[in-house]
Amino acid sequence: MADFEPDFDAIVVGAGLAGSVAAYELAKAGKSVLVVERGNFAGAKNMTGGRIYAHSLHSVFPDMDFSELPFERKVSHERISLMAPDSNFTIDFTSEDLTKDGQESYTILRAVFDPWLAEQAENEGAEIICGIPVEDLLKDEDGSVTGTAGKIYGVRAGEDEMTASVVILADGVNSLLTEKAVGYKRPEAKFMAVGVKEVYELSEQRINDLFQVADGEGAAWLFAGDVTHGLFGGGIIYTNKDSISIGIVAGIEAIANGATRPVYQMLEDLKAHPAVAPVLKDAKMVEHSGHMVPEGGINMMPELTGDGVIVAGDAAMMCVNLGYTVRGMDYAVAAGQYAGQAAVEALDAGDTSKSGLAGYVNRLNNSFVLKDLNQFKLVPGFMEGFDRMFCGYPEMIRDMMNKMFVIDGTPVQPMKKTMMPIVKEVGFMNLFKDVRGAMKAL
Amino acid sequence: MSNIEIEVNVDEYLSLNKYEVDEENAHIEVDLEGSDAEFDKLIRVCPAALYKRDEDGNKSFDYAGCLECGTCRIACGDTIIKKWVYPGPTMGVEYRFG
């Protein structure tokens, strides 16, 4: 790196969770850092279901008073539903443990939360420019600029080029830059899901009443079964402060090849279901949004580092969908923190090559991020073949519940006699296989 | 003709969103002469319902309401999507909630 004098110590692409936290760590350590964000403000292009598990934010901001943060609600109720076209079976779980410091989770809206996070980086001295899409990365093809052939040394936006010793790619799930950075090919449709979401305004009091929650608290509600009309996917409702988010997440390959009703029609059907429609009564839609979700787990992750470059957050496909919970944002925050810390280390050592940036991968390996992703590496494959969850089990549960709760005056039969034929519809072997598969994968 | 069932009008919903449409530049280009089967995939997966087919089977696509999710690029990037880039500076959708 003889004469190479970069404009910045680090350039971060994308002011989402991973990007802003990485910039915060770098700036806090006294490094010069530029964040380039394509939205007109941080969060303008982002969308989540969604809820964030707060533990990773506590780790970045250990002294912060979390009651001051722009969260929507603290999640005190977990709801899971198995939906058939004409019925719905819901489990509602609440527990003090769900809301304790360090293990609590919050619903957030990204256009509200991300500007706050970006501001934390700015307060430490990071520079953020918005409304600028990074179109390309600068790569030192022959080593004539930085002394290392193949090293990433900056970004290009329109006519402008800016250089840095390290570039952190946090440009989201649909990154067009990871191919150039680390040779990552466009992910296959079977590893990706599409999310469509609508936000409805609803008064704080009505949300409290509908979801049986105290002021400031809220619910995370997941739907499986007929929401995606027999295909791989599910539905969500999250309570925000004075709105609710309702959406569908569905596997792109399954929908593209087999859906009779498009993904947005599935959301319309969910809204019309008798178990959901009353929630939306008198509510006013204020936004319709779409986003992709990386669901392939560790099997679809790109290389996490290259010479001069780190990949973090959704761009690195850090997400798991377990059916009963979906996580990604706490991984993104942690990855941003490790990326920032590892970049500082590499800058101090004067080596931002792939091996100089190894601290990032080491930190991830020793943390919940890669431990979780490894732990759940069988889940995507299991979910993909779990057709009975989307068609079969919802009807089985419906019929069992009907047997228990519908009283019409005919003499009651022993439970064993009424339930067995219903389970036989699905088949004991299938039931056994699915439970065993779930135990192995989860 | 495919048998895709659509009852909802998503255009009405998109009108609630905030956009700055780049009238000069389409950031996504689609080959409307290409495979019908591939186009049907896009009808099914695009959350903004931008890929349409009328009663006579005529295909159309309008990038103006794009949510920039990239789903079409993943669903059939190599077949009938001819171009996929992000909108230019300050252009495209701007979420107020997200």
Side-chain angles (χ1 to χ4, degrees):
Chain A
M1 294 216 283
D3 302 324
F4 179 54
E5 285 284 340
D7 303 327
F8 294 90
D9 289 325
I11 292 176
V12 178
V13 185
L17 300 175
S20 285
V21 171
Y24 170 82
E25 292 288 338
L26 277 150
K28 204 175 66 170
K31 305 300 176 194
S32 65
V33 50
L34 174 72
V35 183
V36 191
E37 161 59 43
R38 71 185 185 89
N40 284 326
F41 57 88
K45 301 286 187 181
N46 297 348
M47 183 268 249
T48 176
R51 107 182 43 209
I52 184 163
Y53 292 93
H55 64 98
S56 53
L57 284 170
H58 283 294
S59 164
V60 177
F61 304 110
D63 305 321
M64 192 82 71
D65 175 4
F66 272 35
S67 67
E68 305 282 310
L69 267 61
F71 296 128
E72 297 298 314
R73 286 169 185 258
K74 189 188 266 191
V75 177
S76 59
H77 279 251
E78 303 281 348
R79 282 186 174 188
I80 301 179
S81 288
L82 200 52
M83 187 173 260
D86 55 345
S87 75
N88 186 53
F89 175 75
T90 299
I91 297 167
D92 184 321
F93 177 68
T94 185
S95 145
E96 277 186 13
D97 279 349
L98 290 174
T99 55
K100 280 188 186 150
D101 270 1
Q103 56 198 40
E104 84 279 29
S105 67
Y106 301 90
T107 54
I108 62 171
L109 292 168
R110 297 293 297 271
V112 178
F113 187 79
D114 291 19
W116 174 85
L117 194 60
E119 200 185 306
Q120 307 313 303
E122 270 184 312
N123 290 344
E124 292 294 336
E127 291 178 56
I128 301 187
I129 49 171
C130 291
I132 305 289
V134 168
E135 286 152 31
D136 203 0
L137 297 173
L138 305 178
K139 194 176 204 168
D140 190 356
E141 296 302 341
D142 54 4
S144 60
V145 184
T146 65
T148 308
K151 190 171 197 239
I152 301 294
Y153 69 97
V155 302
R156 186 178 66 73
E159 306 289 289
D160 296 325
E161 292 188 347
M162 281 154 288
T163 59
S165 297
V166 58
V167 172
I168 297 178
L169 273 189
D171 56 335
V173 60
N174 190 41
S175 171
L176 304 182
L177 303 173
T178 42
E179 178 159 4
K180 183 154 198 177
V182 291
Y184 186 63
K185 296 281 180 243
R186 186 172 52 210
E188 293 173 58
K190 68 174 177 179
F191 289 140
M192 300 289 271
V194 52
V196 52
K197 184 185 99 170
E198 287 163 1
V199 177
Y200 280 83
E201 275 177 358
L202 218 54
S203 76
E204 278 191 71
Q205 190 56 50
R206 183 153 159 76
I207 292 171
N208 293 354
D209 295 346
L210 276 169
F211 291 87
Q212 297 167 288
V213 292
D215 279 344
E217 295 190 353
W221 192 358
L222 300 189
F223 299 86
D226 187 65
V227 265
T228 37
H229 303 315
L231 298 171
F232 175 55
I236 55 114
I237 287 181
Y238 286 94
T239 55
N240 307 315
K241 195 163 185 283
D242 50 11
S243 66
I244 64 165
S245 299
I246 179 165
I248 293 276
V249 181
I252 292 177
E253 187 176 57
I255 301 298
N257 292 326
T260 52
R261 293 163 86 76
V263 66
Y264 51 85
Q265 183 65 53
M266 291 174 183
L267 176 53
E268 200 67 11
D269 298 343
L270 176 63
K271 281 152 48 183
H273 192 284
V276 172
V279 175
L280 295 176
K281 186 173 173 289
D282 301 327
K284 186 174 138 234
M285 190 197 297
V286 287
E287 191 164 83
H288 177 99
S289 54
H291 204 74
M292 279 197 294
V293 186
E295 293 203 333
I298 201 153
N299 308 315
M300 68 176 298
M301 279 178 100
E303 282 281 319
L304 296 168
T305 52
D307 285 331
V309 68
I310 288 176
V311 188
D314 261 3
M317 307 293 172
M318 292 166 172
C319 176
V320 293
N321 176 3
L322 303 179
Y324 55 88
T325 188
V326 185
R327 284 172 65 182
M329 292 194 286
D330 59 331
Y331 296 136
V333 169
Q337 186 180 23
Y338 303 147
Q341 291 170 347
V344 170
E345 233 171 53
L347 287 162
D348 286 343
D351 178 9
T352 54
S353 69
K354 187 175 168 70
S355 67
L357 295 170
Y360 174 58
V361 183
N362 292 339
R363 280 175 172 81
L364 285 170
N365 272 325
N366 292 323
S367 75
F368 66 99
V369 180
L370 284 182
K371 284 181 179 166
D372 285 1
L373 280 154
N374 262 310
Q375 178 63 37
F376 294 127
K377 63 172 182 274
L378 296 176
V379 172
F382 168 70
M383 291 286 181
E384 220 178 318
F386 199 15
D387 294 341
R388 281 181 289 273
M389 178 52 83
F390 312 108
C391 186
Y393 289 134
E395 293 77 5
M396 182 183 88
I397 296 293
R398 175 198 60 200
D399 295 347
M400 292 169 99
M401 293 296 131
N402 276 337
K403 283 287 178 219
M404 285 167 67
F405 295 116
V406 176
I407 308 291
D408 63 1
T410 49
V412 176
Q413 299 284 320
M415 194 74 104
K416 194 175 165 195
K417 199 170 166 190
T418 52
M419 293 300 174
M420 282 307 167
I422 297 170
V423 180
K424 270 186 189 150
E425 284 277 311
V426 168
F428 286 105
M429 280 309 283
N430 285 334
L431 195 60
F432 176 73
K433 246 173 34 196
D434 288 339
V435 170
R436 198 163 163 267
M439 288 298 166
K440 258 169 82 176
L442 297 170
Chain B
M1 273 297 283
S2 59
N3 56 342
I4 303 175
E5 304 160 359
I6 301 168
E7 290 149 20
V8 59
N9 179 1
V10 178
D11 292 352
E12 274 177 29
Y13 297 166
L14 297 182
S15 71
L16 303 169
N17 289 352
K18 187 178 175 194
Y19 290 101
E20 191 67 50
V21 179
D22 188 348
E23 308 284 355
E24 311 290 310
N25 281 303
H27 69 284
I28 301 172
E29 286 172 17
V30 186
D31 178 11
L32 293 175
E33 308 298 313
S35 155
D36 286 354
E38 287 297 299
F39 194 82
D40 280 355
K41 289 184 182 178
L42 299 175
I43 296 177
R44 294 187 188 103
V45 299
C46 173
L50 302 180
Y51 299 86
K52 290 191 171 77
R53 195 203 285 266
D54 67 16
E55 285 141 18
D56 302 322
N58 299 312
K59 293 177 276 192
S60 65
F61 167 71
D62 183 358
Y63 66 92
C66 181
L67 302 169
E68 299 164 34
C69 65
T71 304
C72 52
R73 176 177 166 260
I74 297 298
C76 43
D78 286 330
T79 55
I80 58 171
I81 303 283
K82 291 190 294 185
K83 173 187 174 189
W84 206 108
V85 296
Y86 284 110
T90 74
M91 295 294 181
V93 71
E94 183 170 308
Y95 289 133
R96 293 162 299 130
F97 298 90

